[in-house]
Amino acid sequence: MMNSETSPLFLPNTKALDVTVLVFSGASLMCVASTIDPMRAANRVSGANLFNWRIVSLDGEPTMTTCGLPIAVSGSFDAAEKGDILLVVGGFGTSDIARTTFTANLRRAVHNYRMIGGIEAGSWLLGRAGLLSGRKATTHWEDMEEFTAEFPDADVRPDRYVIDGPVFTSGGASPTFDLMLHLIRSRYGMSVALDVASVFIYDDAHASNDAQPLVSLGRLDDVHPKLASAIRLMERHIEQPLTIGAIARRCGLSARSLEKIFAKAVGEGPGRYYLRLRLKVARRLITDTKSPLADIAARTGFSSASAFTRTFRNFEGKPPSAFRPVH
């Protein structure tokens, strides 16, 4: 597969695309739906067969999503089969699967597809197969730091989705929907893309390079734009927290006004909200990484491991060590 600025699949063309969707257990049901349903809707609204897709698993058995609903598959993944696009949808545990011989099969499969995509944790599989070396890529924001460390040869970006020649990666369910709409719009025209978005009443499509937020604000801008700005400042300063006064000044408010806005809209003060946000990041690092507690304390803005442990216990009712997975 040659690196190119724009894949031919994203150029205007009325020919149908053959898509293989490889789903791993532990994937999000929403990621699977965001991958498949836009293709189904495109076929429906156009009255044509724009996409032919089949869902497969590694062993041909149904895969279990994180919500407990199984995904029926039509067979097992075969690296020798050919198609236009191979989509790899991963989730919890996918990075462990990536250490198996599957990566060799994935490298072989690359030659049989015109494009290959990693959806959420599927990007780890592409990275382990060496497909992201020298390329721009992304993954879910929770894993961004570990992903960057794991694949230093990749140009990792906090974008919603990234297309780099014949390889693309997506950070999660909503970015994947945006990606599929972009493919439909680029290939089959704006009219089809608008009709697909309308099927799902989806009126807030994002550009690929929109950053993945730590906190999804939804329509919070409509509630109070200053509140949204304050939360964005907080999430950008987890390791070196700002004072509430500094956040208020940057938002053009007094500290008292910011307190009132948070109390009315969120139900707690900005200081407590900010601390909970930092502890939320810390808890994810505790459960999802093997980083020492001292490192996690530093990465979430605490002066020492003891201060972090004390604060964490006060909020969670248990020490950080109690949330470490047992192996």
Side-chain angles (χ1 to χ4, degrees), residues 173-201:
S174 180
T176 298
F177 199 100
D178 291 327
L179 169 62
M180 297 306 290
L181 280 180
H182 175 55
L183 172 61
I184 293 167
R185 180 173 58 250
S186 301
R187 187 173 179 85
Y188 301 117
M190 178 63 78
S191 178
V192 177
L194 289 174
D195 286 345
V196 169
S198 297
V199 167
F200 300 99
I201 320 179

Side-chain angles (χ1 to χ4, degrees), residues 140-141 160 174-175 206 211-221 228 231-232 235 273 277 280:
H140 192 277
W141 64 264
R160 292 175 67 82
S174 180
H206 297 267
Q212 294 181 43
L214 180 62
V215 180
S216 294
L217 298 180
R219 293 294 182 183
L220 204 54
D221 281 313
I231 292 176
R232 286 289 174 248
E235 70 176 10
Y273 179 88
L277 181 60
K280 173 184 173 183

Side-chain angles (χ1 to χ4, degrees), residues 91-101 124-125 128 290 327:
F92 291 115
T94 296
S95 58
D96 294 329
I97 294 171
R99 297 183 186 279
T100 70
T101 55
W124 286 80
L125 294 165
R128 290 268 170 74
K290 296 180 181 179
H327 297 291

Side-chain angles (χ1 to χ4, degrees), residues 2-5 115 134-137 162-169:
M2 298 297 292
N3 193 359
S4 59
E5 198 64 32
M115 289 199 78
R135 296 191 185 280
K136 298 183 288 290
V162 174
I163 304 169
D164 190 343
V167 176
F168 57 85
T169 45

Side-chain angles (χ1 to χ4, degrees), residues 45-167:
V45 301
S46 67
N49 206 40
L50 302 182
F51 293 95
N52 301 307
W53 71 87
R54 63 190 300 263
I55 307 172
V56 299
S57 64
L58 274 186
D59 57 6
E61 295 296 320
T63 58
M64 189 64 67
T65 59
T66 49
C67 68
L69 291 178
I71 300 295
V73 300
S74 60
S76 59
F77 173 67
D78 183 351
E81 289 187 354
K82 295 185 178 182
D84 294 305
I85 303 176
L86 172 62
L87 293 171
V88 183
V89 186
F92 291 115
T94 296
S95 58
D96 294 329
I97 294 171
R99 297 183 186 279
T100 70
T101 55
F102 168 72
T103 52
N105 289 331
L106 189 58
R107 283 193 292 271
R108 287 195 292 272
V110 163
H111 303 290
N112 295 322
Y113 289 89
R114 299 167 68 188
M115 289 199 78
I116 183 168
I119 306 300
E120 197 168 288
S123 56
W124 286 80
L125 294 165
L126 271 59
R128 290 268 170 74
L131 305 181
L132 300 182
S133 181
R135 296 191 185 280
K136 298 183 288 290
T138 192
T139 192
H140 192 277
W141 64 264
E142 289 186 331
D143 301 322
M144 199 71 67
E145 190 170 346
E146 288 73 31
F147 189 77
T148 302
E150 180 81 14
F151 306 113
D153 293 335
D155 179 6
V156 180
R157 305 189 172 198
D159 299 356
R160 292 175 67 82
Y161 64 88
V162 174
I163 304 169
D164 190 343
V167 176

